[in-house]
Amino acid sequence: MPSALPHGDPAPADGRLPAAVLADAAQRPFGVYVHIPFCQTRCGYCDFNTYTAAELGSGVSRGSYADTVLAEVRLAGTVLDGRTPIASTVFFGGGTPTLLPAEHLGLIITEIRETFGLAADAEISTEANPETVTPGYFAKLREAGFTRVSLGMQSAVPRVLEVLDRKHRPGRPQEAVAEARAAGFEHVNLDLIYGAPYETDADWQTSLDAVIAAGPDHVSAYALVVEEGTALARQVAQGVLPAPDDDVLADRYVMADETLHAAGFDWYEVSNWARSDAARCRHNELYWSDANWWGLGPGAHSHVSGVRWWNVKHPARYAVLLESGASPAAGRETLDAQARLTERVMLAVRMRDGLALAELPPERAAVAPQLAGWGLVEHPALEQGRLVLTQRGRLLADAVVRELLA
């Protein structure tokens, strides 16, 4: 089942934010995340806040879900009261957003535009499972205003897909890339997962080669993580499947980085590669750069100028709260200066642009030369006052963060 929500303070019933927070919000870029919690089946490794029809039960309808989200958009407009810049990015994630009609997704975009405004060059993305999209659906997404699509491929090898409980047939993600391109999508991402039980080096190379041949301009590759409470975790605990091996995961990452670089992709975040700066996912960069966003939907998280909150998890409870005129927030926290520094370091060091040493307390910045001596950060960038990870540093990013925050 989906992972638990964080612990925090009670959130106001009307969702209001402190005046000082709203005053600061005008100084930071703003985006919107839209969570679509529906899936046809649950993948064994997934602990996201998503539900199949059997898990949802009665009281929740895909057909009325967009209307519920529209109610939260209007609530957000009241809470923020025009204090944020117009939205520069919108990202539909899940779950499987493309299980909803494209027209419903378009209604949400229209409400976001009318409530917050949308930049003329706004990036509007959706995740999609390859089996839920068609050439006609892609055309409708473009008509609705989408500029970018992210397709879940995970692997090109049938037995690896089977272990991951992925239902699409091999080759379908590549077909979907071509269909998206034909519909006018300039920016297309393919997601991969490496380190699945019984996956070989040859399997992983097959997947990398298939991704490159498909022609996306962005690739995300994530190490398989065994999340507590998932079917995969139970299989590993019972000895049915082996746990991912850290050394194997490191080797697979190096294979990905070198293969993708040779094909014209450059890393810009530890798990993300793009063919150009324009191909980067601007919405994710907004998360990684301490900007502001409102998360719509059950279980969605939001952040505005140091205040973070999260919505109730179940779609039925989410709908009941909004129908009653209340905020769906389950809890929230206000980050103090140390917490914000910690998050800034954790996120910035994962980026190709790196972390400015000036953002660190002097005693912590002083460890940077030692990190360079260990081969974890780039010497030229350090001479220019920035901490940028080497490939080895990316493999040990968590250790670098610990050194910087010790």
Side-chain angles (χ1 to χ4, degrees), residues 109-381:
I109 293 172
T110 297
E111 192 73 24
I112 290 170
R113 180 182 291 110
E114 293 178 353
T115 302
F116 303 113
L118 272 175
D121 64 344
E123 174 193 86
I124 306 178
S125 305
T126 186
E127 295 177 341
N129 282 348
E131 71 275 16
T132 65
V133 286
T134 63
Y137 192 95
F138 280 124
K140 290 179 180 179
L141 288 177
R142 289 289 294 144
E143 291 172 10
F146 285 90
T147 65
R148 184 177 183 275
V149 63
S150 179
L151 294 157
M153 178 175 180
Q154 318 319 345
S155 177
V157 178
R159 61 191 181 87
V160 176
L161 291 173
E162 184 176 355
V163 169
L164 294 174
D165 288 331
R166 295 292 294 184
K167 303 305 180 185
H168 65 258
R169 61 176 173 80
R172 175 57 198 153
Q174 298 95 306
E175 294 172 358
V177 172
E179 292 168 3
R181 293 290 197 198
F185 279 96
E186 181 180 357
H187 300 305
V188 182
N189 171 64
L190 282 173
D191 273 348
L192 290 173
I193 290 179
Y194 57 89
Y198 309 122
E199 179 190 61
T200 65
D201 286 351
D203 291 336
W204 181 229
Q205 191 63 55
T206 294
S207 294
L208 292 169
D209 292 342
V211 161
I212 292 166
D217 64 346
H218 189 287
V219 177
S220 300
Y222 303 102
L224 179 65
V225 177
V226 180
E227 300 286 2
E228 184 178 350
T230 62
L232 176 62
R234 291 190 291 273
Q235 290 173 307
V236 169
Q238 295 164 3
V240 176
L241 293 174
D245 181 278
D246 288 343
D247 290 336
V248 170
L249 293 176
D251 290 343
R252 298 279 160 76
Y253 181 86
V254 171
M255 288 175 63
D257 190 47
E258 294 180 350
T259 299
L260 291 168
H261 181 73
F265 292 84
D266 290 322
W267 78 280
Y268 71 99
E269 191 274 343
V270 167
S271 300
N272 291 274
W273 292 259
R275 285 196 177 276
S276 65
D277 287 349
R280 293 182 175 192
C281 179
R282 288 162 46 200
H283 187 81
N284 283 343
E285 289 185 307
L286 181 145
Y287 292 152
W288 301 325
S289 61
D290 194 33
N292 293 332
W293 71 91
W294 190 293
L296 304 163
H301 289 233
S302 302
H303 171 263
V304 176
S305 298
V307 176
R308 178 189 295 124
W309 67 95
W310 44 90
N311 287 345
V312 296
K313 288 177 57 175
H314 200 279
R317 179 61 179 159
Y318 170 77
V320 166
L321 286 167
L322 284 164
E323 287 168 5
S324 70
S327 165
R332 78 180 190 187
E333 61 180 337
T334 300
L335 304 176
D336 60 22
Q338 183 57 49
R340 297 192 76 173
L341 174 64
T342 297
E343 292 202 355
R344 173 63 182 155
V345 172
M346 290 175 63
L347 295 171
V349 298
R350 295 177 60 87
M351 301 291 291
R352 182 67 181 86
D353 299 336
L355 174 71
L357 291 177
E359 297 185 60
L360 293 168
E363 67 273 15
R364 301 321 311 156
V367 308
Q370 186 176 38
L371 294 172
W374 292 339
L376 301 178
V377 301
E378 296 179 359
H379 282 280

